[in-house]
Amino acid sequence: AQSVSQHNHHVILSEAASLELGCNYSYGGTVNLFWYVQYPGQHLQLLLKYFSGDPLVKGIKGFEAEFIKSKFSFNLRKPSVQWSDTAEYFCAVNARGATNKLIFGTGTLLAVQP
Amino acid sequence: NAGVTQTPKFQVLKTGQSMTLQCAQDMNHNSMYWYRQDPGMGLRLIYYSASEGTTDKGEVPNGYNVSRLNKREFSLRLESAAPSQTSVYFCASSEPRGAGYNEQFFGPGTRLTVL
């Protein structure tokens, strides 16, 4: 069965610090990969997605993620975080050729201190 | 475009009561989903509907039923609420395309407390 692991459950950073959130998945076939963000009190919004092509994907608000197939990873990065990036971040995987279900990780809560 | 809407936003139930959570989307999507979100557990799929007229169980279907009323609407029913069903419930929709493309769009959520 597919699964998604986010090893950082809670991350605290100061403004301007660099961010990297880990995401690993277990599935041997071809996958589509997503990062969603949930700001306090709001619903999930898509941050970025990977389907094919360049493994370095750029999303909204200066976020990017790199798909490393050999490591089954899709880590999220931002060179300089802002207080407004305080949110919960979810990695999700969809296996191609399977049903249209997304498997979510458990989330990483990011708190950025001003 | 309202996207995905959910009602109610908040609900408090007593154990044993029943209720229906409503979800509607105006993006003409074929697929719709119900998730629950619990601290430290991420989002878990309760039920989904790949297209109008079909529904399937997800990861945690026990204690829930669903109805895909039409292409726009997908409701979630708790027949006899239990404290373990205290959670935030999200509805989502998507239009799956070739190669498994499945970007889901989420509603604002319903915060349910069962006493």
Side-chain angles (χ1 to χ4, degrees), chain A residues 75-104:
Chain A
N75 291 355
L76 181 70
R77 300 195 292 249
K78 186 171 183 178
S80 175
V81 295
Q82 301 172 310
W83 177 78
S84 58
D85 293 325
T86 294
E88 191 158 17
Y89 294 81
F90 294 92
C91 182
V93 172
N94 165 231
R96 291 195 201 174
T99 64
N100 52 2
K101 292 186 286 187
L102 280 183
I103 307 299
F104 283 87

Side-chain angles (χ1 to χ4, degrees), chain A residues 32 34 36 38 42-44 46 49 51 88 90 94 96-97 99-102 104-107, chain B residues 31 33 35 37 40-43 45 48 50 57 90 96 99-104 106-108:
Chain A
N32 300 315
F34 305 82
Y36 281 85
Q38 186 179 29
Q42 297 188 27
H43 61 283
L44 274 79
L46 184 68
K49 58 185 183 268
F51 296 117
E88 191 158 17
F90 294 92
N94 165 231
R96 291 195 201 174
T99 64
N100 52 2
K101 292 186 286 187
L102 280 183
F104 283 87
T106 53
Chain B
S31 298
Y33 313 82
Y35 293 90
Q37 184 184 26
M41 304 190 76
L43 278 80
L45 184 64
Y48 69 102
K57 294 179 181 179
F90 288 99
Y101 177 98
N102 186 23
E103 178 182 343
Q104 295 186 13
F106 286 81

Side-chain angles (χ1 to χ4, degrees), chain B:
Chain B
N1 259 1
V4 181
T5 56
Q6 293 182 235
T7 55
K9 287 188 165 52
F10 301 94
Q11 183 72 49
V12 179
L13 294 177
K14 294 181 181 177
T15 297
Q17 287 185 315
S18 62
M19 78 161 296
T20 300
L21 282 65
Q22 306 287 354
C23 173
Q25 53 91 9
D26 63 2
M27 295 175 281
N28 203 34
H29 286 167
N30 273 299
S31 298
M32 297 185 74
Y33 313 82
W34 275 106
Y35 293 90
R36 59 178 290 174
Q37 184 184 26
D38 302 291
M41 304 190 76
L43 278 80
R44 292 180 293 169
L45 184 64
I46 304 171
Y47 269 94
Y48 69 102
S49 171
S51 60
E52 188 179 353
T54 68
T55 60
D56 284 287
K57 294 179 181 179
E59 183 185 353
V60 288
N62 290 348
Y64 305 94
N65 283 302
V66 290
S67 295
R68 183 73 182 267
L69 305 169
N70 47 56
K71 191 172 185 179
R72 288 188 64 246
E73 297 171 288
F74 188 39
S75 63
L76 178 72
R77 183 160 177 84
L78 286 71
E79 290 291 352
S80 178
S84 60
Q85 294 178 304
T86 293
S87 187
V88 181
Y89 291 85
F90 288 99
C91 178
S93 72
S94 73
E95 185 56 42
R97 296 200 282 268
Y101 177 98
N102 186 23
E103 178 182 343
Q104 295 186 13
F105 296 81
F106 286 81
T110 295
R111 189 172 294 274
L112 174 67
T113 301
V114 183
L115 303 174

Side-chain angles (χ1 to χ4, degrees), chain A residues 9-53:
Chain A
H9 298 296
H10 199 176
V11 173
I12 302 173
L13 294 174
S14 298
E15 275 192 315
S18 63
L19 170 72
E20 180 160 2
L21 301 182
C23 173
N24 288 89
Y25 65 91
S26 65
Y27 181 70
T30 306
V31 294
N32 300 315
L33 299 155
F34 305 82
W35 276 98
Y36 281 85
V37 60
Q38 186 179 29
Y39 297 104
Q42 297 188 27
H43 61 283
L44 274 79
Q45 304 171 42
L46 184 68
L47 204 52
L48 48 78
K49 58 185 183 268
Y50 171 81
F51 296 117
S52 62

